[in-house]
Amino acid sequence: MNIKADFPTLIEEIDYGTPESRAAKQVTLTVDGQSITVPEGTSIMRAAMEGGVEIPKLCATDMLDSFGSCRVCLVEIDGRGGTPASCTTPVGEGMVVRTQSERLDAIRRGVMELYVSDHPTGWNEKAGTGASEFDAVAESVGLTENRYGVEGRNHVKEEGGVAPGHGSLAVDYIARDESNPYFTYDPAQCIVCSRCVRACEEVQGTFALTIEGRGFESRMVAGMHEDFIASECVSCGACVQACPTDALREKTVLEKGMPERSAVTTCAYCGVGCSFKAEVKGDEVIRMMPYKDGKANHGHSCVKGRFAYGYATHKDRILSPMIREKITDPWREVSWEEAIAHTAKEFRRIQYQYGRGSIGGITSSRCTNEETYLVQKLVRQGFRNNNVDTCARVCHSPTGYGLGQTYGTSAGTQDFDSVEYTDVAVIIGANPATAHPVFASRLKKRLREGAKLIVLDPRRTEMVKSAHVEADYHLPLKPGTNVAVLTALAHVIVTEGLFDEAFIRERCDWAEFQDWASFVALPENSPETVGKLSGVDPEAIRGAARLYAKGGNGAIYYGLGVTEHSQGSTTVMAIANLAMATGNIGRPGVGVNPLRGQNNVQGSCDMGSFPHELPGYRHISGEAVRDIYESLWGVKLDEEPGLRIPNMLDAAVDGSFKGIYIQGEDILQSDPDTKHVAAGLAAMECVVVHDLFLNETANYAHVFLPGSTFLEKDGTFTNAERRINMVRKVLEPKARYADWEATQELARAIGLDWNYTHPSEIMDEIAKTTPSFAGVSFELLDRVGSVQWPCNEKAPLGTPIMHVDGFVRGKGKFIRTEYVATDERTGPRYPLLLTTGRILSQYNVGAQTRRTENVAWHAEDRLEIHPHDAENRGIREGDWVSRSGETTLRALITDRVSPGVVYTTFHHPDTQANVITTDFSDWATNCPEYKVTAVQVAPSNGPTEWQRDYNEQAKQSRRIAPLEAAE
């Protein structure tokens, strides 16, 4: 059943030296006697490479603009004197170029000889890898001697060792920087090509690196000559990827050698869905290299995807199934066969004793589409109910509802490439710089090119102001007032006549628009009225509205700060209204774009993980839809929606829900009101956790099934832009089964006749039954790389931009968005509002990233509090503070939050931020209101009694009984 990973070679990508030109006009030239036709504006270097002629280079790479400093890529051009650099010289019609001659060979050898004299460990020594671009160029130009020696002023002298203080350091020597946990910087090997500096600026947009000094003193440094770990560097890896020498190199490569083979797969962190080459040596991943042909990331990465894959081999990972009778018992390791048989027996017993609806399942937004599809199929076909839910509901279900109501489909409208055509970007309730950093880099590049930015967020996030980027308008609205502020923006657009009447009359229902317009024009929706309740300057609201409506292509990007509110669905509809009113739908550069938090949040929704919907967002009550699955699965499906997670927990406390299968989710840490979640789990008789680690939910589990990482399985993820990307197995499952196989074994044990031999067969079933996936197959994805659904007969290669000629529902629907204040209010007892978010180095509940070196940047959750609020409470930087007396963490005093607002992350279980979040939720979807919690903050002496009790219970629950010795 488990097909062995087979990828015998190392994938080598062509580096064309300079970026491609988008010009329509074509130019024909001759290179070494070969006629080549390329777009006008293409460099000679790129044109030659497209014709199969490689010109040596060191400072050039196609990820960066041309620079022309290394003088290795020189060419000769008929009719032109000298030897111009091919990277900076554009092609011309009829141009005749020579890349090889005795003169060029001599110049290149001379240049390289000078380089090697200043590059000791890359010349006739085994230090470094010996496999850098520098090594390859030295060989290609035929360099056979070095007449200048290697005693450069910035090198360690050979005699006397290298230790500082022993007189052995050269005058300009800079010690090797090992501070970053993932890569090393050796200044002695730097050739000052500036590729790293330019990558940090042009690709990442952090501007953390610079060239220090002049002449022989020139070297790249981080920040103000700081260690990498202490600088502004965000460890995205762009500099390491760009470096042509071994000056910047992954520690894993230096320690274990160069990789031997690779396969293209998809990152298992956020919803950007970056493509990587997983490069392997033996049975170990050596490094993850961003894939230039990845259509979501185009060769860029962040610290998580690039480096934080070590959790796959962490000592905490559980590799054997375990069971126990009571949650107070230690775990007992058993065989897969015993664990599966025990689980099936328990589920059958519970249903016999308590009824068919007494068990259910939770799908994972971290698992593949195929695995998620199987879990919901197991519940519907095997458990014979619709008690299936997913973490996607507790983050982006309002997106599905709001966009479904207004546009007719439950997903974003654009691809990420669309941002390159955006003139005004609006970010609402999201911080892409920390949660979706690769997309943020692309957005910031567009902003540096002149696009405008509007940010609606209670905090002054990194997107509000960072290197060479500053928002034109920052609306620091009070948490919970999203709907009011968005309606105020609409008020300005309507009352000042800034709407696109032609678009609305053609594409939307005009009568519904008029009704909506009369509503938003009411005085209570004016910026002046809304400004008082939201804390936002009315003039800023008016300015932002005018800029979005008349600034050109306007694109809205939003995150959990929109959806995780009691009015989350209303806010999504308000965003959709704005885009329709201004005509910002249906073309590049515009649209409504939800930024999904986890790698397969979109896919888990697509696959029917909600209790009321089958795959493709089709309601379970539809007889025609049920017929499709009933005929295929051979069972009668329940036409009534099942229980959502909160309902399951309520029913468990009430005694009617007794068993649950949880794949790849940690609801005890991620869901609201931790005490209620714990009470519900504790009331169940068979909790099955299928995961990599003994997570927090496993504290209340009776069966633990070990999971597989994304490196150990085949399948697909669907990212925030609806892009279906391949996940390819590069290692064999350490726990025997990929997750889809384990689910299949459980299905068989309860009597289902499942016989999938590969995830491609599961995708074939998805395509057969789901219209938006009708054209999707592994064969197609292998051939074209990725597609965006809908992918069907009408769009055989997918749909990058939705609603081009009309909305999916027909006419776009304007919906009134009346502001209703949340029931969660501040008062004398709880005067502050707590909101939550993420940090760059950590991911979701931290189960993966906390088991990597990323803890170097974020070892604990902190509470951000404004200096005014801190001073009033006698709180100093780093003090232990208690929120409402329930949980304690350290204070971080900052003016990034407004007075009256506090903020924290939720990556560490020791903090358990959700112990104080409430059970208030979105009116339409039950999405929890994580972003608004009234709290009080006071100095504390350390962890609370609840935290100590929680940690003790977790410690006891994670005991594993020693294996009995064989007789």
Side-chain angles (χ1 to χ4, degrees), residues 573-621:
M573 290 187 285
I575 290 170
N577 289 337
L578 284 177
M580 288 190 291
T582 53
N584 280 308
I585 286 290
R587 64 182 187 275
V590 299
V592 174
N593 306 277
L595 296 173
R596 308 285 186 165
Q598 296 191 63
N599 53 297
N600 204 34
V601 163
Q602 182 68 59
S604 66
C605 297
D606 299 341
M607 292 300 103
S609 295
F610 296 132
H612 64 290
E613 287 179 335
L614 287 159
Y617 305 97
R618 293 165 295 171
H619 202 279
I620 191 70
S621 62

Side-chain angles (χ1 to χ4, degrees), residues 112-146:
M112 287 304 296
E113 190 173 1
L114 289 170
Y115 273 127
V116 298
S117 71
D118 194 36
H119 190 258
T121 54
W123 176 251
N124 287 342
E125 292 187 24
K126 292 184 178 179
T129 63
S132 69
E133 289 180 55
F134 183 90
D135 298 315
V137 171
E139 182 179 351
S140 72
V141 302
L143 187 63
T144 58
E145 62 177 337
N146 173 18

